[in-house]
Tab-separated table of all heavy atoms in Angstrom:
chain	number	residue	atom	x	y	z
A	11	LEU	N	34.735	-43.106	25.706
A	11	LEU	CA	33.511	-42.644	25.049
A	11	LEU	C	33.771	-42.494	23.560
A	11	LEU	O	34.733	-41.836	23.158
A	11	LEU	CB	33.067	-41.302	25.639
A	11	LEU	CG	31.825	-40.648	25.041
A	11	LEU	CD1	30.615	-41.546	25.238
A	11	LEU	CD2	31.578	-39.279	25.663
A	12	VAL	N	32.920	-43.128	22.766
A	12	VAL	CA	32.950	-42.955	21.315
A	12	VAL	C	31.644	-42.287	20.927
A	12	VAL	O	30.571	-42.765	21.285
A	12	VAL	CB	33.092	-44.305	20.577
A	12	VAL	CG1	33.091	-44.083	19.067
A	12	VAL	CG2	34.355	-45.022	21.018
A	13	MET	N	31.721	-41.187	20.223
A	13	MET	CA	30.499	-40.489	19.842
A	13	MET	C	30.593	-39.946	18.427
A	13	MET	O	31.686	-39.609	17.942
A	13	MET	CB	30.184	-39.347	20.807
A	13	MET	CG	31.234	-38.289	20.965
A	13	MET	SD	30.822	-37.079	22.247
A	13	MET	CE	29.442	-36.206	21.497
A	14	GLY	N	29.438	-39.889	17.793
A	14	GLY	CA	29.364	-39.312	16.476
A	14	GLY	C	29.326	-37.799	16.561
A	14	GLY	O	29.093	-37.222	17.620
A	15	MET	N	29.554	-37.158	15.442
A	15	MET	CA	29.649	-35.702	15.433
A	15	MET	C	28.318	-35.029	15.736
A	15	MET	O	28.296	-33.853	16.120
A	15	MET	CB	30.217	-35.222	14.094
A	15	MET	CG	31.695	-35.567	13.913
A	15	MET	SD	32.433	-34.769	12.480
A	15	MET	CE	31.758	-35.801	11.183
A	16	THR	N	27.221	-35.749	15.610
A	16	THR	CA	25.915	-35.123	15.888
A	16	THR	C	25.377	-35.476	17.268
A	16	THR	O	24.306	-35.024	17.655
A	16	THR	CB	24.891	-35.543	14.827
A	16	THR	OG1	24.786	-36.973	14.827
A	16	THR	CG2	25.324	-35.067	13.445
A	17	ASN	N	26.123	-36.287	18.009
A	17	ASN	CA	25.653	-36.723	19.332
A	17	ASN	C	25.798	-35.631	20.381
A	17	ASN	O	26.566	-34.669	20.217
A	17	ASN	CB	26.453	-37.934	19.808
A	17	ASN	CG	26.153	-39.190	19.000
A	17	ASN	OD1	26.932	-40.117	19.011
A	17	ASN	ND2	25.024	-39.214	18.322
A	18	LYS	N	25.083	-35.831	21.494
A	18	LYS	CA	25.278	-35.041	22.702
A	18	LYS	C	25.612	-36.000	23.835
A	18	LYS	O	24.881	-36.968	24.053
A	18	LYS	CB	24.011	-34.258	23.064
A	18	LYS	CG	23.669	-33.119	22.141
A	18	LYS	CD	22.468	-32.367	22.672
A	18	LYS	CE	22.110	-31.206	21.754
A	18	LYS	NZ	20.939	-30.439	22.283
A	19	LYS	N	26.677	-35.715	24.534
A	19	LYS	CA	27.084	-36.537	25.661
A	19	LYS	C	27.635	-35.634	26.757
A	19	LYS	O	27.940	-34.463	26.530
A	19	LYS	CB	28.173	-37.538	25.239
A	19	LYS	CG	27.747	-38.558	24.210
A	19	LYS	CD	26.836	-39.614	24.806
A	19	LYS	CE	26.515	-40.689	23.778
A	19	LYS	NZ	25.570	-41.701	24.318
A	20	SER	N	27.804	-36.225	27.940
A	20	SER	CA	28.373	-35.462	29.056
A	20	SER	C	29.443	-36.275	29.766
A	20	SER	O	29.286	-37.488	29.939
A	20	SER	CB	27.284	-35.080	30.059
A	20	SER	OG	26.347	-34.202	29.471
A	21	LEU	N	30.495	-35.601	30.174
A	21	LEU	CA	31.519	-36.197	31.022
A	21	LEU	C	31.266	-35.738	32.458
A	21	LEU	O	30.891	-34.592	32.699
A	21	LEU	CB	32.913	-35.749	30.591
A	21	LEU	CG	33.274	-35.894	29.113
A	21	LEU	CD1	34.735	-35.507	28.889
A	21	LEU	CD2	32.970	-37.282	28.604
A	22	LYS	N	31.518	-36.659	33.390
A	22	LYS	CA	31.271	-36.358	34.797
A	22	LYS	C	32.550	-36.478	35.607
A	22	LYS	O	33.371	-37.356	35.347
A	22	LYS	CB	30.222	-37.309	35.366
A	22	LYS	CG	29.903	-37.089	36.839
A	22	LYS	CD	28.890	-38.104	37.342
A	22	LYS	CE	28.636	-37.946	38.840
A	22	LYS	NZ	27.686	-38.966	39.354
A	23	CYS	N	32.699	-35.592	36.572
A	23	CYS	CA	33.850	-35.615	37.474
A	23	CYS	C	33.359	-35.368	38.887
A	23	CYS	O	32.508	-34.495	39.120
A	23	CYS	CB	34.849	-34.543	37.063
A	23	CYS	SG	36.284	-34.407	38.154
A	24	GLU	N	33.883	-36.119	39.824
A	24	GLU	CA	33.534	-35.958	41.232
A	24	GLU	C	34.799	-36.017	42.067
A	24	GLU	O	35.632	-36.902	41.859
A	24	GLU	CB	32.549	-37.058	41.658
A	24	GLU	CG	32.053	-36.933	43.073
A	24	GLU	CD	30.982	-37.966	43.397
A	24	GLU	OE1	30.649	-38.798	42.522
A	24	GLU	OE2	30.474	-37.944	44.542
A	25	GLN	N	34.947	-35.074	42.990
A	25	GLN	CA	36.116	-35.107	43.863
A	25	GLN	C	35.668	-35.246	45.311
A	25	GLN	O	34.684	-34.666	45.739
A	25	GLN	CB	36.999	-33.861	43.659
A	25	GLN	CG	36.347	-32.524	43.925
A	25	GLN	CD	36.710	-31.917	45.272
A	25	GLN	OE1	37.431	-32.515	46.075
A	25	GLN	NE2	36.222	-30.709	45.527
A	26	HIS	N	36.448	-36.061	46.039
A	26	HIS	CA	36.128	-36.403	47.425
A	26	HIS	C	37.196	-35.868	48.375
A	26	HIS	O	37.458	-36.450	49.426
A	26	HIS	CB	36.039	-37.921	47.558
A	26	HIS	CG	35.152	-38.575	46.546
A	26	HIS	ND1	33.806	-38.781	46.749
A	26	HIS	CD2	35.411	-39.059	45.305
A	26	HIS	CE1	33.294	-39.374	45.689
A	26	HIS	NE2	34.231	-39.551	44.791
A	27	LEU	N	37.855	-34.776	47.981
A	27	LEU	CA	39.001	-34.270	48.716
A	27	LEU	C	38.710	-32.988	49.480
A	27	LEU	O	39.595	-32.473	50.166
A	27	LEU	CB	40.162	-34.023	47.733
A	27	LEU	CG	40.627	-35.273	46.977
A	27	LEU	CD1	41.517	-34.892	45.809
A	27	LEU	CD2	41.354	-36.220	47.923
A	28	GLY	N	37.515	-32.442	49.306
A	28	GLY	CA	37.203	-31.182	49.960
A	28	GLY	C	37.877	-29.972	49.332
A	28	GLY	O	37.956	-28.908	49.946
A	29	HIS	N	38.364	-30.140	48.104
A	29	HIS	CA	38.995	-29.024	47.398
A	29	HIS	C	37.951	-28.007	46.948
A	29	HIS	O	36.771	-28.337	46.777
A	29	HIS	CB	39.758	-29.539	46.169
A	29	HIS	CG	41.003	-30.275	46.522
A	29	HIS	ND1	41.669	-31.078	45.613
A	29	HIS	CD2	41.727	-30.332	47.671
A	29	HIS	CE1	42.752	-31.587	46.192
A	29	HIS	NE2	42.794	-31.148	47.439
A	30	ASN	N	38.402	-26.766	46.725
A	30	ASN	CA	37.445	-25.728	46.345
A	30	ASN	C	37.624	-25.250	44.910
A	30	ASN	O	36.985	-24.273	44.497
A	30	ASN	CB	37.517	-24.538	47.310
A	30	ASN	CG	38.907	-23.943	47.380
A	30	ASN	OD1	39.764	-24.209	46.543
A	30	ASN	ND2	39.145	-23.121	48.398
A	31	ALA	N	38.480	-25.885	44.126
A	31	ALA	CA	38.642	-25.529	42.719
A	31	ALA	C	38.661	-26.801	41.884
A	31	ALA	O	39.210	-27.833	42.308
A	31	ALA	CB	39.932	-24.746	42.502
A	32	MET	N	38.059	-26.732	40.697
A	32	MET	CA	38.027	-27.874	39.780
A	32	MET	C	38.313	-27.406	38.361
A	32	MET	O	38.018	-26.254	38.012
A	32	MET	CB	36.670	-28.594	39.848
A	32	MET	CG	36.393	-29.212	41.217
A	32	MET	SD	34.896	-30.208	41.250
A	32	MET	CE	35.468	-31.709	40.414
A	33	TYR	N	38.879	-28.311	37.567
A	33	TYR	CA	39.397	-27.953	36.251
A	33	TYR	C	39.044	-29.019	35.218
A	33	TYR	O	38.972	-30.213	35.542
A	33	TYR	CB	40.935	-27.865	36.297
A	33	TYR	CG	41.502	-27.055	37.425
A	33	TYR	CD1	41.573	-27.574	38.720
A	33	TYR	CD2	41.996	-25.780	37.205
A	33	TYR	CE1	42.112	-26.839	39.765
A	33	TYR	CE2	42.543	-25.033	38.242
A	33	TYR	CZ	42.589	-25.570	39.508
A	33	TYR	OH	43.129	-24.833	40.550
A	34	TRP	N	38.908	-28.591	33.978
A	34	TRP	CA	38.906	-29.489	32.831
A	34	TRP	C	40.139	-29.199	31.993
A	34	TRP	O	40.408	-28.045	31.639
A	34	TRP	CB	37.665	-29.310	31.961
A	34	TRP	CG	36.428	-29.973	32.480
A	34	TRP	CD1	35.277	-29.364	32.887
A	34	TRP	CD2	36.192	-31.384	32.626
A	34	TRP	NE1	34.362	-30.299	33.299
A	34	TRP	CE2	34.894	-31.543	33.135
A	34	TRP	CE3	36.962	-32.529	32.387
A	34	TRP	CZ2	34.335	-32.796	33.410
A	34	TRP	CZ3	36.415	-33.767	32.658
A	34	TRP	CH2	35.111	-33.895	33.163
A	35	TYR	N	40.863	-30.286	31.658
A	35	TYR	CA	42.019	-30.198	30.791
A	35	TYR	C	41.807	-31.125	29.598
A	35	TYR	O	41.202	-32.184	29.716
A	35	TYR	CB	43.289	-30.674	31.498
A	35	TYR	CG	43.986	-29.630	32.332
A	35	TYR	CD1	43.746	-29.519	33.696
A	35	TYR	CD2	44.915	-28.769	31.749
A	35	TYR	CE1	44.417	-28.583	34.463
A	35	TYR	CE2	45.590	-27.821	32.510
A	35	TYR	CZ	45.335	-27.744	33.862
A	35	TYR	OH	45.996	-26.814	34.621
A	36	LYS	N	42.406	-30.742	28.448
A	36	LYS	CA	42.467	-31.606	27.278
A	36	LYS	C	43.917	-32.039	27.089
A	36	LYS	O	44.828	-31.192	27.117
A	36	LYS	CB	41.984	-30.852	26.029
A	36	LYS	CG	42.078	-31.649	24.738
A	36	LYS	CD	41.642	-30.805	23.544
A	36	LYS	CE	41.758	-31.587	22.245
A	36	LYS	NZ	41.388	-30.762	21.061
A	37	GLN	N	44.116	-33.359	26.914
A	37	GLN	CA	45.469	-33.863	26.694
A	37	GLN	C	45.528	-34.574	25.347
A	37	GLN	O	44.858	-35.588	25.141
A	37	GLN	CB	45.899	-34.818	27.814
A	37	GLN	CG	47.356	-35.253	27.682
A	37	GLN	CD	47.832	-36.101	28.845
A	37	GLN	OE1	47.076	-36.878	29.414
A	37	GLN	NE2	49.090	-35.938	29.219
A	38	SER	N	46.352	-34.051	24.443
A	38	SER	CA	46.594	-34.661	23.142
A	38	SER	C	48.040	-35.112	23.096
A	38	SER	O	48.908	-34.524	23.760
A	38	SER	CB	46.322	-33.662	22.006
A	38	SER	OG	45.005	-33.153	22.093
A	39	ALA	N	48.297	-36.131	22.295
A	39	ALA	CA	49.635	-36.721	22.242
A	39	ALA	C	50.683	-35.672	21.879
A	39	ALA	O	50.496	-34.890	20.953
A	39	ALA	CB	49.659	-37.857	21.232
A	40	LYS	N	51.779	-35.697	22.636
A	40	LYS	CA	52.954	-34.864	22.383
A	40	LYS	C	52.681	-33.364	22.482
A	40	LYS	O	53.465	-32.563	21.978
A	40	LYS	CB	53.568	-35.195	21.021
A	40	LYS	CG	54.032	-36.641	20.904
A	40	LYS	CD	54.684	-36.931	19.570
A	40	LYS	CE	55.112	-38.385	19.486
A	40	LYS	NZ	55.740	-38.714	18.192
A	41	LYS	N	51.577	-32.984	23.094
A	41	LYS	CA	51.263	-31.570	23.288
A	41	LYS	C	51.091	-31.294	24.770
A	41	LYS	O	50.710	-32.183	25.539
A	41	LYS	CB	49.978	-31.204	22.542
A	41	LYS	CG	50.092	-31.271	21.040
A	41	LYS	CD	48.767	-30.987	20.366
A	41	LYS	CE	48.298	-29.571	20.576
A	41	LYS	NZ	47.046	-29.269	19.851
A	42	PRO	N	51.386	-30.062	25.196
A	42	PRO	CA	51.145	-29.729	26.606
A	42	PRO	C	49.672	-29.829	26.967
A	42	PRO	O	48.797	-29.668	26.104
A	42	PRO	CB	51.619	-28.276	26.709
A	42	PRO	CG	52.527	-28.070	25.553
A	42	PRO	CD	51.999	-28.946	24.464
A	43	LEU	N	49.405	-30.089	28.216
A	43	LEU	CA	48.033	-30.053	28.700
A	43	LEU	C	47.410	-28.698	28.384
A	43	LEU	O	48.018	-27.659	28.600
A	43	LEU	CB	47.990	-30.284	30.212
A	43	LEU	CG	48.306	-31.685	30.724
A	43	LEU	CD1	48.296	-31.696	32.243
A	43	LEU	CD2	47.307	-32.682	30.192
A	44	GLU	N	46.172	-28.741	27.878
A	44	GLU	CA	45.464	-27.506	27.556
A	44	GLU	C	44.368	-27.277	28.583
A	44	GLU	O	43.445	-28.088	28.711
A	44	GLU	CB	44.813	-27.618	26.173
A	44	GLU	CG	45.768	-27.816	25.025
A	44	GLU	CD	45.026	-28.033	23.715
A	44	GLU	OE1	44.107	-27.232	23.427
A	44	GLU	OE2	45.328	-28.997	22.994
A	45	LEU	N	44.476	-26.183	29.324
A	45	LEU	CA	43.450	-25.836	30.289
A	45	LEU	C	42.209	-25.355	29.548
A	45	LEU	O	42.285	-24.462	28.708
A	45	LEU	CB	43.951	-24.740	31.229
A	45	LEU	CG	42.958	-24.238	32.270
A	45	LEU	CD1	42.567	-25.354	33.225
A	45	LEU	CD2	43.552	-23.054	33.019
A	46	MET	N	41.070	-25.956	29.866
A	46	MET	CA	39.816	-25.568	29.218
A	46	MET	C	38.986	-24.655	30.121
A	46	MET	O	38.586	-23.564	29.716
A	46	MET	CB	39.014	-26.809	28.858
A	46	MET	CG	39.720	-27.762	27.900
A	46	MET	SD	38.772	-29.254	27.608
A	46	MET	CE	37.448	-28.628	26.579
A	47	PHE	N	38.713	-25.133	31.327
A	47	PHE	CA	37.849	-24.384	32.244
A	47	PHE	C	38.360	-24.522	33.673
A	47	PHE	O	38.915	-25.555	34.045
A	47	PHE	CB	36.405	-24.911	32.189
A	47	PHE	CG	35.763	-24.826	30.843
A	47	PHE	CD1	35.646	-25.952	30.049
A	47	PHE	CD2	35.259	-23.620	30.372
A	47	PHE	CE1	35.048	-25.884	28.798
A	47	PHE	CE2	34.655	-23.534	29.119
A	47	PHE	CZ	34.556	-24.678	28.331
A	48	VAL	N	38.158	-23.450	34.435
A	48	VAL	CA	38.479	-23.448	35.859
A	48	VAL	C	37.255	-22.966	36.620
A	48	VAL	O	36.657	-21.954	36.263
A	48	VAL	CB	39.650	-22.508	36.190
A	48	VAL	CG1	39.955	-22.540	37.685
A	48	VAL	CG2	40.880	-22.864	35.381
A	49	TYR	N	36.924	-23.692	37.683
A	49	TYR	CA	35.869	-23.266	38.597
A	49	TYR	C	36.462	-23.157	39.990
A	49	TYR	O	37.122	-24.078	40.466
A	49	TYR	CB	34.712	-24.267	38.621
A	49	TYR	CG	33.731	-24.089	37.492
A	49	TYR	CD1	33.973	-24.647	36.256
A	49	TYR	CD2	32.571	-23.351	37.675
A	49	TYR	CE1	33.086	-24.479	35.212
A	49	TYR	CE2	31.668	-23.173	36.635
A	49	TYR	CZ	31.931	-23.745	35.405
A	49	TYR	OH	31.043	-23.573	34.372
A	50	SER	N	36.222	-22.029	40.641
A	50	SER	CA	36.620	-21.834	42.027
A	50	SER	C	35.372	-21.500	42.825
A	50	SER	O	34.665	-20.548	42.487
A	50	SER	CB	37.631	-20.702	42.148
A	50	SER	OG	37.927	-20.445	43.497
Side-chain angles (χ1 to χ4, degrees):
Chain A
L11 178 62
V12 179
M13 58 186 291
M15 290 190 284
T16 58
N17 291 161
K18 290 185 180 181
K19 296 287 185 183
S20 295
L21 309 185
K22 179 182 176 182
C23 177
E24 184 175 1
Q25 60 101 357
H26 309 270
L27 300 166
H29 288 165
N30 57 15
M32 296 186 77
Y33 311 78
W34 281 116
Y35 275 95
K36 177 183 179 182
Q37 186 175 34
S38 304
K40 299 182 181 179
K41 293 176 66 176
L43 289 177
E44 298 175 49
L45 178 63
M46 300 176 72
F47 300 102
V48 180
Y49 278 84
S50 175

